[in-house]
Amino acid sequence: MLAEVLEFLRPAPGAKFVDCTVGGAGHSEAIIEGISPGGALVAVDQDPENLERAKRRLGSYKERVSYVQSNFRHLGDKLRDLEFNHIQGVLFDLGISSFQIESAERGFSFRLEGPLDMRMDPGTGSSARDLVHDLSRRDLEALIREFGEERFAGRIARAIDEARQNQRIDTTTELAEIIFRAVP
């Protein structure tokens, strides 16, 4: 979708852009090339690994790129802190990145055995393992229904509740197996 993104954003020399979910920096690299010479880019990602990946990829543009580790919900404050205003374009490429899915230790994939984590920023908030063990059955059902948009949320929450009474659920594949058995 790179061509479509560039067609829509139309980066021009000297422009200022923000990539709110920089990920692997593919879009950012194309944008910074389009805003050269003289343009500037703020690269935002809450995942510290993605931000490091972006820094490596965009290293040759370092004087024109600012990096911010944050959730994009704090974008206004972060841009004010950088005194980055009069922006011509903002990109939100929402969702999980392939890097996160392919990394078993991040705990996003049910296909790969890994710790049950699922945090975009592993240094903040509760892990999926914490939620699986700490939430009440009712709260677990609400979480699965609301954020997973899962019609079998009640069955899944019940199965998790029953399983966690007998054993800890610590890995992605353990949770996936419980869910697989619960869903018809």
Side-chain angles (χ1 to χ4, degrees):
M1 287 192 47
L2 180 61
E4 292 84 354
V5 167
L6 294 175
E7 182 180 336
F8 181 77
L9 291 176
R10 300 182 190 271
K16 290 181 169 182
F17 276 80
V18 181
D19 186 344
C20 291
T21 49
V22 71
H27 289 112
S28 285
E29 185 174 45
I31 290 168
I32 198 111
E33 288 174 2
I35 62 177
S36 296
L41 175 80
V42 174
V44 180
D45 208 298
Q46 66 180 336
D47 184 331
E49 291 178 23
N50 278 348
L51 213 53
E52 286 304 314
R53 192 174 289 108
K55 286 177 183 178
R56 287 190 300 275
R57 184 167 188 168
L58 302 175
S60 62
Y61 305 103
K62 64 182 173 185
E63 66 281 349
R64 293 187 290 131
V65 181
S66 298
Y67 300 93
V68 176
Q69 183 186 342
S70 177
N71 185 296
F72 54 77
R73 70 176 167 223
H74 306 295
L75 183 60
D77 293 335
K78 299 300 180 181
L79 293 178
R80 275 188 289 282
D81 291 347
L82 293 170
E83 298 180 4
F84 198 80
N85 47 30
H86 306 293
I87 299 163
Q88 283 71 45
V90 179
L91 175 63
F92 289 88
D93 185 6
L94 303 177
I96 190 168
S97 77
S98 59
F99 303 116
Q100 293 161 327
I101 292 173
E102 294 165 1
S103 174
E105 53 275 352
R106 295 301 299 273
F108 283 106
S109 176
F110 64 89
R111 292 185 346 247
L112 304 170
E113 175 102 37
L116 191 54
D117 195 318
M118 298 185 179
R119 292 176 290 175
M120 292 290 186
D121 178 352
T124 64
S126 298
S127 69
R129 182 181 58 236
D130 296 336
L131 297 175
V132 161
H133 288 284
D134 296 344
L135 292 178
S136 69
R137 180 169 154 185
R138 176 176 286 184
D139 288 343
L140 198 52
E141 179 180 347
L143 178 86
I144 295 166
R145 187 173 315 285
E146 182 177 344
F147 295 107
E149 300 178 0
E150 176 55 59
R151 69 180 178 159
F152 295 111
R155 293 177 80 148
I156 294 169
R158 183 173 40 255
I160 291 170
D161 189 42
E162 291 169 2
R164 68 186 178 183
Q165 291 178 35
N166 299 317
Q167 68 183 42
R168 289 207 42 89
I169 304 166
D170 292 324
T171 69
T172 54
T173 53
E174 289 169 345
L175 180 60
E177 181 60 32
I178 293 164
I179 294 169
F180 180 75
R181 288 192 313 259
V183 176

